[in-house]
Amino acid sequence: MARSSNGKSRFFGGNLSPISRNKSHSTTSIGRRNYSLYINKILKEVVPCRSISSSTVDFLNNLINETFAMIAVEARQLMNYRKRCTLTPEDIQKAVYLLLPKKLARYAVAFGSEAVHRFVHS
């Protein structure tokens, strides 16, 4: 008897959700972004006559979310190492340089800096 009369677990204290809930492939968990629209747009720009399966889009979406999470964790660790309370762009850039290969990190930082510059000055 894991469920009490009020619908809460007596062992964990939280609400129990049904396990067999059907979810579409395009939905993600709470706090995660869905980049499937952007993935398809970029694919159509690069190779207009090709398409991509939904499982591949889900995989790429998870890859993007995990990469962002790793960069955020590394940047937070750098911020704590410097004994600062504010996350700066330098912390994020250093985290990118630490996590990604050299050439990819340079491109990522260059394109990210350009995008921030365009956003600020638009």
Side-chain angles (χ1 to χ4, degrees):
M1 179 176 252
R3 187 179 276 206
S4 63
S5 61
N6 63 0
K8 293 192 174 202
S9 169
R10 91 168 84 142
F11 300 111
F12 300 110
N15 287 333
L16 294 175
S17 61
I19 295 173
S20 63
R21 180 180 297 168
N22 292 331
K23 289 186 178 182
S24 66
H25 290 285
S26 63
T27 60
T28 57
S29 63
I30 296 174
R32 312 282 331 254
R33 300 273 319 255
N34 191 354
Y35 298 100
S36 61
L37 180 68
Y38 306 109
I39 292 169
N40 286 322
K41 281 184 179 180
I42 290 172
L43 179 70
K44 290 299 177 187
E45 284 180 13
V46 175
V47 187
C49 60
R50 296 283 180 167
S51 62
I52 191 169
S53 68
S54 62
S55 61
T56 306
V57 171
D58 286 341
F59 175 78
L60 289 173
N61 193 39
N62 288 335
L63 180 69
I64 292 167
N65 281 317
E66 291 299 320
T67 304
F68 283 162
M70 289 189 322
I71 290 171
V73 167
E74 189 67 33
R76 181 182 54 88
Q77 289 175 350
L78 288 169
M79 179 188 72
N80 290 339
Y81 177 74
R82 294 184 339 151
K83 297 180 180 162
R84 305 281 182 186
C85 296
T86 306
L87 185 66
T88 62
E90 290 80 20
D91 294 330
I92 296 171
Q93 288 177 1
K94 287 177 186 175
V96 168
Y97 280 119
L98 287 171
L99 292 172
L100 298 179
K102 185 177 182 179
K103 194 170 185 178
L104 182 61
R106 279 190 294 176
Y107 279 116
V109 169
F111 284 120
S113 298
E114 180 186 341
V116 169
H117 180 72
R118 279 187 292 167
F119 178 77
V120 170
H121 294 351
S122 64

